[in-house]
Amino acid sequence: MMKNKLLKHGLLVSLSMLASLNFTAVQAFESSFAIAIHGGAGAISKSKMTPEQRQAYEAKLKEAIDVGYQLLSQGKSSQKAIIAAIQIMEASPLFNAGKGAVYTFEGEHELDASIMNGETLNAGAVSGVKTVQSPIALAEKVMEESVHVMLSGEGAENFAKKVGLKEVENSYFNTERRYKSLLRAKKKLIEKDKDFQAAHQSLPLEYKVGTVGAVALDKDGNLAAGTSTGGMTAKRFGRIGDAPIIGAGTYANNESCAVSATGHGEYFIRYHVAADICARMQYQNIPLEKAADVVINKILVEAGGSGGVIAIDAKGNIAMPFNSEGMYRASKSSNGQSFIGIFHNE
Amino acid sequence: MMKNKLLKHGLLVSLSMLASLNFTAVQAFESSFAIAIHGGAGAISKSKMTPEQRQAYEAKLKEAIDVGYQLLSQGKSSQKAIIAAIQIMEASPLFNAGKGAVYTFEGEHELDASIMNGETLNAGAVSGVKTVQSPIALAEKVMEESVHVMLSGEGAENFAKKVGLKEVENSYFNTERRYKSLLRAKKKLIEKDKDFQAAHQSLPLEYKVGTVGAVALDKDGNLAAGTSTGGMTAKRFGRIGDAPIIGAGTYANNESCAVSATGHGEYFIRYHVAADICARMQYQNIPLEKAADVVINKILVEAGGSGGVIAIDAKGNIAMPFNSEGMYRASKSSNGQSFIGIFHNE
């Protein structure tokens, strides 16, 4: 069981080590700086994924983690490292964030993002943004150049103009793959039920998840976390998921940990997943690994909430638990540990 | 100090009891059902408040708490009781929620609300709603009749139409008092600085706070919490405060407590105040009173965040700490305790 747990969380350990490993041993992986990223969790089907697709995802994850790690190794802040890593995933059509964002029911794209600095506990978030190329960059501007934590919709876009962020047409986010996904979702919604809410509830998980995020510890000992997403396929009514909710999709506090979540957002809000992992670690005095495991593999599983998190503590310990079939993820630490994977145990 | 703390939290105790009171004694106030409400915290000036104004606030608080208490005594759920109490405050021009909502910079009203059921951990929230008479009723509909937790803007209004909630013109929320407040705020914003963000930061606290909320324990032992607000005077850019953020402005869990917050929302989001009080109580195994006190009077004070909370646990203990000059508040328990007050110690 310990073996399974450790592998599931993406720690690279040799089989011979496993018998004697415990949570104390996990802490021996401490590093002076480290970064972890995710490109979404959900019903990623191992059997349906071609070798070419898998290679494309792993290559993009490697590019993103390497860029973030490079910045950290140069002494740059965890905040800058996570933004650089997230922006690489936002610019790729592979992930449900930025360029690869899913479609709303009305055939548009509404993007959400949030960021938190674990040293200052400052935070920024945006929701329902249609014309900003990099939502995570806007979240950072909200954090650093506004008196607010969370801006939404047109107001957030006006703020983006004011601070000079790059604007794009909403059609910039169009991709054939996501459009086909919208058409499939709408077909299912119409076939299933006249009641949109009930029909949407019954959509397969693949339409409800998908996010990118990053967490990092820098050489100064500061943590940061960030998350960016296009939300749920065929979402309606200005739905806001967990990604822009500080405490749900993103949380960072140097006294505990930094977390970025991905999954069925409604559950992550109700169980305020990111902050709860930090709270359990800090108040129960348990290791990050255990706090993250309880929330993802016990509490969320019992509630029926699919997804996962990436998390890092102030000692550089990394946990990447998920209760779905897969989670695109990668980590790299100054202690030499690194990992890129999609499914459990790989 | 104990005397001060207990009075500050609005517990009615005779002076002769104070010498021997401690947290254990506070738990002796356990009751089979109870409700607490707030009508906002902030720079309420005792010296400037006329006896007539004070009487008007206290009478409305009494009306709201009595209606909620009456429902609980009839065996109705905590969810129904808090909604009834909040709707009385929403319908009054006295409080910054519903009818009395403040103006945005553009001269409109954008309302936010959220609700959480401590038994099911289901939750609903709306932000940026302009045409729904009772935002807390819409938050309940989102919780019970949508697959989502949080809806925003026009999308939330479309959902309100779909479920048949009462619509009003945005001008329904116009009041002379709040309009004058907007004009004063804009004057200060223009005088102070050309940089809106810096100018807004320097606005007096009275422009940044104001919310209504309720928490309750019903005869079945279930907790619920709800919050409703018009947000910050002269807010811009689609700003979302803590009131519609599950974990920040509102949280409820039968295993710990139910909390509704009011104050400078940005701080309440960053410190995820409502959920943090519940987390500290549950994970540190400390009384509600102590958990709420640490968050409001230590953590938020050190961070510079003004405001307060009302909180209730599964035994009916009530805490109502605030670090601002005043907080409109009331509580009523089946053990005979009741309180209505505005300032510290009264």
Side-chain angles (χ1 to χ4, degrees), chain B residues 274-287:
Chain B
D276 191 35
I277 290 171
C278 295
R280 286 170 185 267
M281 191 186 161
Q282 187 175 356
Y283 303 149
Q284 297 182 324
N285 200 24
I286 57 175

Side-chain angles (χ1 to χ4, degrees), chain B residues 103-126:
Chain B
Y103 286 75
T104 65
F105 188 85
E106 283 80 10
E108 290 190 306
H109 309 274
E110 293 180 358
L111 291 80
D112 304 331
S114 65
I115 187 168
M116 187 158 184
N117 182 310
E119 180 190 13
T120 61
L121 299 191
N122 208 347
V126 294

